[in-house]
DNA sequence: CGAATAGTCAACCGATCGGTTTAACGTTTT
DNA sequence: AAAACGTTAAACCGATCGGTTGACTATTCG
């Protein structure tokens, strides 16, 4: 009886999302994009990184579905797409009961109530 | 006024955790460990992978703090450590407002109330 | 028009990845 | 003591990583 594996996992998506998040530069870029939409150049500057370098990072974020791009003239505006972050969050929360003590005791309480109920039925 | 970057981020930890989660085999191993503690061999078997291969994956998980090992005789028992998953979850939730529509509209409501209040003061 | 700007592409770099194989080590079994 | 077991270590493999440079394509500005 698998506890967590019964949920089919969209491996490819999660691979891409977690991989994208595994780099501190990319996490910082997402942080910037949380404030406002930014061009590649604006994303590159604070990291003293070449345009090409930033461009590659953005593409990784794009492939993970975490960022979308709108080309306007010669500039590429990047926008945060948080839906995929929610996907990663959903995966993580399958483990929530393992770290959240409150939830654990709540669960224990509910279990105790269930048992009490079951006992009552038996009587 | 940075929205998300004011929180100091423990980059090294997050790097390791997200990197560990970026591999489907390792995620599956965590899933197995969520049910019960397992030895390296038990972790290796379902993935038709050499012991050495599994051993390397476990070490990645260990380095990320997601797994701890208890050596008992010649076997190594692996246990899930969810605290670090909570860390990753905490990072993700900083973006929750970007994907959670309910939260968004609540915020809009509060903003509207604030504006109403500000208007009232002006009058 | 020509020059500057914003960005990509392709090649390249050393480092790390996921995985294997072979050898070795300590533990348990016989 | 010898054989079997559970695991790690080291060397190696091709692939991918993060990053650079230089050449190229568009768009905008003077």
């Amino acid at each position: 009886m698998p506890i967590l594996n019964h949920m089919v996992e969209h491996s490819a998506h999660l691979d891409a999302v977690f991989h994208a998040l595994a780099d501190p530069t990319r996490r910082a870029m997402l942080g910037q994009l949380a404030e406002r939409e930014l061009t590649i150049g604006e994303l590159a500057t604070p990291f003293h990184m070449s345009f090409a370098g930033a461009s590659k990072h953005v593409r990784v974020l794009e492939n993970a579905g975490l960022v979308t791009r709108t080309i306007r003239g010669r500039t590429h505006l990047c926008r945060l797409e948080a839906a995929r972050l929610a996907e990663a969050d959903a995966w993580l929360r399958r483990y929530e009961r393992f770290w959240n003590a409150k939830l654990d005791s709540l669960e224990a309480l509910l279990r105790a109530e269930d048992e009490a109920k079951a006992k009552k039925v038996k009587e």
Side-chain angles (χ1 to χ4, degrees), chain A residues 1 7 11 15 17 27 36 68 77 96 107-108 119 121:
Chain A
M1 289 138 206
M7 198 179 264
S11 258
D15 285 8
V17 171
R27 286 199 305 278
R36 52 189 147 77
T68 54
L77 250 199
E96 199 172 29
E107 220 172 317
K119 206 179 172 185
V121 169

Side-chain angles (χ1 to χ4, degrees), chain A residues 39-112:
Chain A
T39 66
I40 305 287
E42 290 170 326
L43 282 170
T45 310
F47 303 105
H48 0 91
M49 176 182 298
S50 66
F51 272 55
S55 179
K56 276 171 139 194
H57 276 305
V58 169
R59 205 166 47 152
V60 171
L61 292 168
E62 239 180 331
N63 288 343
L66 294 170
V67 158
T68 54
R69 184 195 307 248
T70 312
I71 302 177
R72 235 178 92 211
R74 62 184 167 184
T75 76
H76 296 203
L77 250 199
C78 299
R79 177 171 69 254
L80 175 65
E81 291 293 337
R84 289 295 168 79
L85 284 180
E87 213 172 287
D89 188 65
W91 187 90
L92 277 176
R93 293 214 203 181
R94 288 156 59 186
Y95 294 84
E96 199 172 29
R97 81 172 210 83
F98 290 98
W99 77 67
N100 191 334
K102 278 184 200 169
L103 238 176
D104 271 5
S105 36
L106 173 63
E107 220 172 317
L109 179 68
L110 292 176
R111 231 188 333 269

Side-chain angles (χ1 to χ4, degrees), chain A residues 8-21:
Chain A
V8 177
E9 151 175 338
H10 326 280
S11 258
H13 281 181
L14 281 178
D15 285 8
V17 171
F18 282 131
H19 166 66
L21 296 182

